[in-house]
Amino acid sequence: EKGSYAHYMLKEIDEQPIVIRRILEKYQGENEDILIDPNIRIGMNQADRIYIIAAGTSYHAGLVGKGYLEKLAGIPTEVHIASEFNYNMPLLSENPFFLFISQSGETADSRAVLVQIKRMGFPTMTITNVPGSTLSREADFTLPLYAGPEIAVASTKAYTAQLAVLALLAADIAIYKGLKLDFNFKQEMAIVANAIETLCDQKDRFRELSQEYFTNTRNAFFIGRSADYYVAMEGALKLKEISYIQAEGFAGGELKHGTIALIEDGTPVIALVTQNNVDGLIRGNVQEVVARGAHPMVISIEGQEEKGDTCTIPAVHEILSPLVSVVPLQLLAYYAALQRNCDVDKPRNLAKSVTVE
Ligand code: F6R
């Protein structure tokens, strides 16, 4: 039920703090440990490489998840688009572990890969919002997202739930391997939930920004580096799928290798600036597009903002910032679609779950 909300999408954006807290609760074991089937951590720890398979928004979550599995758990990880992997399979490592990420658990492209991988005899797990779905039943293991039903076609709370569960999984393996996390996972995730809440309380601001940037534009670019690049891709997908504005997410450093040719007077360029080691570089990229007439929107971290930045997100542990920085992009997309009289919850040509290859 959408209750007082005009659209499911806005309701689902607002539910994200609750979902994060619910995930922490559901996966909270006795004492401080994480409640995950021990066979999962054993299986993943035995793997020499993790292959993440997904589509769309879930693929974008996988890209962030790769960072968690490599940086926290120390396991080399590759991320693949399901429909590509299936017909152009890379050379596999000796002991791969396959991780399927799917909100619906019914995506045919991902299922086709799962069928093939099972035939090859490799271990498989599905991270899904629908336990009992096809991908969940057919994989060896399942980790539920506990996001509650996601009705809007554009995925929002499932994405943040996927990031939360991937971070939790990586933290669990790290602890199992005896690696030291440099932060208290539960505490930092609680800060993330609060940060999302703070942003959800600033809807008027994002409605105004959306009006200012997207009312009369044909296209828009989202840029970032490192993890911000992956969130930029997700922000672009949200905007294009519900507002039909042509939007692309780019790695900041790639702009000058071609895409910058598209920048004209007034072209919106949304830049995410949350990763310390590339802060100066992405700001440099913003200067480059501004010099060519772009209309920049810089989203940085509270306390680290520079003069002229458009808005900030509350400070959270750097590795978890994608869970927070995606929220302004979701809200911007929502209001852009609304202003353009688009059918927010049911965009044209799209289905909630894509059950054909
Ligand atoms: C975008 C969106 C789609 C899905 C994709 C995969 O907002 O919802 O890109 O993410 O179709 O779906 P699942 O996660 O159900 O496998």
Side-chain angles (χ1 to χ4, degrees), residues 55-58 101-105 107 153-155 162 237-238 241 354:
T57 287
S58 297
I101 305 178
S102 175
Q103 189 284 129
S104 63
T107 298
V153 163
S155 184
Q162 285 163 349
L237 178 59
K238 283 296 86 92
E241 72 179 321
V354 185

Side-chain angles (χ1 to χ4, degrees), residues 12 150-155 241-242 344-347 350-352:
E12 290 163 4
E150 191 180 62
I151 310 291
V153 163
S155 184
E241 72 179 321
I242 61 170
V344 173
D345 283 340
K346 285 194 172 57
L350 291 174
K352 183 63 184 161

Side-chain angles (χ1 to χ4, degrees), residues 101-166:
I101 305 178
S102 175
Q103 189 284 129
S104 63
E106 300 298 343
T107 298
D109 291 322
S110 300
R111 175 157 189 256
V113 179
L114 178 56
V115 168
Q116 236 194 120
I117 293 305
K118 281 187 62 158
R119 221 178 277 139
M120 295 161 91
F122 297 128
T124 54
M125 177 161 79
T126 298
I127 294 182
T128 182
N129 203 25
V130 188
S133 59
T134 308
L135 284 166
S136 166
R137 287 196 315 271
E138 293 182 350
D140 300 323
F141 306 105
T142 294
L143 289 182
L145 293 173
Y146 298 115
E150 191 180 62
I151 310 291
V153 163
S155 184
T156 53
K157 63 176 179 174
Y159 172 83
T160 43
Q162 285 163 349
L163 298 196
V165 170
L166 284 161

